[in-house]
Amino acid sequence: MSLFPESSQQPTGRAVLLSIKPKYADLILAGTKTVELRRSWPSNDVGVMVIYSSAPVQRLTGIALITEIKECDFEELWAVAQAHGGGVTYDELQEYIGKKKLAYGVMLGRVTPAEVLVDPKDIFPNFTPPQGFLYLSPQDFPRVMAAMFPSGIPL
């Protein structure tokens, strides 16, 4: 429990595992990219994301608390990306968003790199990297956290 609850970020909502290209995952883990740009986003309340750094890394590499979801048209999303280290050029974002009318800026709070990079197949034997996101059940999330943070991590 924090003595200063107003400064403590506690996760609320569900946990998702997101596939993120290694160059963007690295920027998030370094703290220079504080927004994850997505063409779609789950409708349920999501409070924490587990970062799966896709090929060639193919490991769970950290977690990030989600502070806000911004639903935007392309120009608004570009402004959000510019202000929060989106890590993409205008043309790259335009190509990624394509003809979508709305896309999402997932605003990231506290980011914690994993103590141990975890092969998700060690936790989920039939793991297939999700195209977008994968909800983690209340039973699976603690298993993922224990594997990535054997010393424990305060959320």
Side-chain angles (χ1 to χ4, degrees):
M1 184 162 127
S2 172
L3 294 176
F4 306 100
E6 66 281 356
S7 66
S8 176
Q9 292 181 357
Q10 294 297 317
T12 60
R14 296 185 71 181
V16 293
L17 185 148
L18 287 182
S19 289
I20 302 176
K21 291 182 180 179
K23 75 176 188 176
Y24 302 122
D26 290 348
L27 290 172
I28 290 170
L29 295 169
T32 57
K33 182 179 193 299
T34 60
V35 62
E36 174 59 12
L37 308 168
R38 290 282 158 162
R39 290 186 296 211
S40 63
W41 190 251
S43 59
N44 290 346
D45 182 38
V46 176
V48 63
M49 69 181 205
V50 174
I51 300 167
Y52 171 74
S53 188
S54 61
V57 177
Q58 299 178 309
R59 295 288 183 269
L60 303 177
T61 59
I63 63 164
L65 300 184
I66 297 169
T67 60
E68 182 183 1
I69 305 299
K70 294 186 180 206
E71 186 179 56
C72 310
D73 66 20
F74 176 79
E75 291 300 329
E76 290 171 305
L77 189 63
W78 173 244
V80 168
Q82 288 299 105
H84 298 279
V88 294
T89 66
Y90 186 90
D91 291 340
E92 288 169 334
L93 184 60
Q94 201 167 41
E95 184 178 328
Y96 173 66
I97 299 303
K99 302 225 183 276
K100 288 240 177 226
K101 297 274 186 237
L102 293 173
Y104 301 86
V106 180
M107 308 308 296
L108 306 177
R110 188 177 74 221
V111 175
T112 307
E115 284 177 29
V116 176
L117 301 183
V118 176
D119 183 340
K121 290 181 180 180
D122 292 344
I123 301 170
F124 309 105
N126 297 321
F127 180 80
T128 302
Q131 285 291 83
F133 62 89
L134 170 71
Y135 284 115
L136 293 174
S137 74
Q139 296 77 30
D140 289 337
F141 182 65
R143 292 175 44 224
V144 168
M145 293 298 288
M148 289 195 310
F149 302 98
S151 302
I153 180 173
L155 281 178

